Amino acid sequence: MKLLEEIELQPVHTLKGKHLLSLVDYTSDEIKQLVELAIKMKIVTKESGSPKLLEGKTLAMIFEKNSTRTRVSFEVGMHQLGGKGMYMNARDLQIGRGETVHDTALVLSGYVDGIMIRANEHTMVQELAQYSKVPVINGLTDVSHPCQALADLETIAEVKGSFEGLKVAYIGDGNNVAHSLVAACAHVGIDSVIAAPVGYEPDPAVIAKVQQIAASNGCTVSVTTDPVEAVKDADVIYSDVWTSMGQEEESAKRLKDFEGYQINEALVAHAKADYMFLHCLPAHREEEVTAAVIDNPEHSYIFHQAENRMHAQKAVLVSLLAD
């Protein structure tokens, strides 16, 4: 119990009432404090149960896309904090029948204390936040996946013990997950590199913003087409599916375009001997990653990472919604 007595669960007070749309909108100190709070929240929850810091609070959870980890982790997280997560399929709401985002934002703001949305388009979430009178949390858009990246940082911190001197290599589609991952790394001083085929590079505008953050924290962000170059001496190797939701018609083309980008035993041999493998899940074994890598108990931390989604999100929820 001595450990618990020394842990103070202090929300990141500068974030109270704010939205979480992208990690580039937060300061590096705020990101570091969120990760520290997530780690503390996990320890306390496992040792003595989660404190009811959001008792009486309700989170509207809107889903335009299917979900396992986002839905369950937010719903359970709110329950553990003493609040309620209310699942809403966008098809079942009036927004699914043409009600404007403006009207939906104002209506929900009168009922709930916060809104989490897993959406198709980032611009829609930006509009929702513009008119909402309560905090809006991005559960995933086509541009950004900030809650995933916070859980990634928590996992790296727990396994490696420190962010200092680390290199993270992301191999695959330069998508929303890649954007948020390198932004998270830039905030805490981790060098990061994205290896993507031509035509699948990350958004240059996003990378430019992230590079500014990285420069202020003494680290680098780079993009290459060479997976071997990317994983050379990497401490962390990260992958995502090659075909995301809504891209199923492109599957055959993507399988061809991503040849050579599979994370396998030959590729990870270029990383550090104690590398860790991460994946945001769901995974397609033998496509973007082999079973030999993703199921390797010595290097793969994918389920540790998945569990941390809840603890990282609880840190966000407490900081944005707590009184």
Side-chain angles (χ1 to χ4, degrees), residues 60-228:
M61 308 191 311
I62 304 174
F63 289 85
E64 288 189 329
K65 288 191 170 187
N66 295 339
S67 172
T68 297
R69 281 150 291 277
T70 299
R71 176 179 177 178
V72 177
S73 59
F74 267 108
E75 194 161 337
V76 174
M78 281 297 293
H79 173 73
Q80 289 185 356
L81 290 166
K84 178 177 177 58
M86 182 180 297
Y87 172 78
M88 302 174 175
N89 190 307
R91 294 190 303 270
D92 299 330
L93 300 177
Q94 293 297 343
I95 196 171
R97 298 179 61 247
E99 183 170 51
T100 65
V101 173
H102 168 275
D103 289 359
T104 299
L106 291 177
V107 168
L108 289 179
S109 295
Y111 298 143
V112 301
D113 301 285
I115 301 170
M116 188 285 297
I117 181 166
R118 185 174 171 91
N120 294 312
E121 297 180 357
H122 194 74
T123 52
M124 183 268 204
V125 177
Q126 289 176 314
E127 185 179 358
L128 187 70
Q130 179 182 353
Y131 296 110
S132 174
K133 295 179 180 179
V134 298
V136 171
I137 300 170
N138 176 1
L140 176 142
T141 67
D142 57 338
V143 173
S144 181
H145 200 354
C147 293
Q148 176 65 58
L150 288 171
D152 299 339
L153 286 183
E154 180 185 354
T155 307
I156 293 169
E158 289 175 335
V159 175
K160 294 297 184 180
S162 169
F163 296 131
E164 186 175 355
L166 297 183
K167 175 185 176 182
V168 170
Y170 174 95
I171 313 299
D173 193 1
N175 58 15
N176 49 0
V177 173
H179 290 162
S180 292
L181 177 67
V182 295
C185 290
H187 276 301
V188 299
I190 297 176
D191 291 332
S192 62
V193 55
I194 296 173
V198 174
Y200 297 93
E201 301 93 339
D203 186 331
V206 172
I207 296 300
K209 291 180 182 178
V210 172
Q211 287 175 331
Q212 290 179 348
I213 297 170
S216 68
N217 289 312
C219 60
T220 62
V221 179
S222 59
V223 179
T224 180
T225 57
D226 186 348
V228 173

Side-chain angles (χ1 to χ4, degrees), residues 267-289:
L267 184 61
V268 301
H270 297 279
K272 290 184 179 176
D274 63 346
Y275 82 91
M276 56 188 295
F277 176 74
L278 298 178
H279 193 300
C280 56
L281 301 180
H284 295 164
R285 285 167 172 78
E286 308 309 328
E287 286 188 15
E288 74 273 7
V289 59

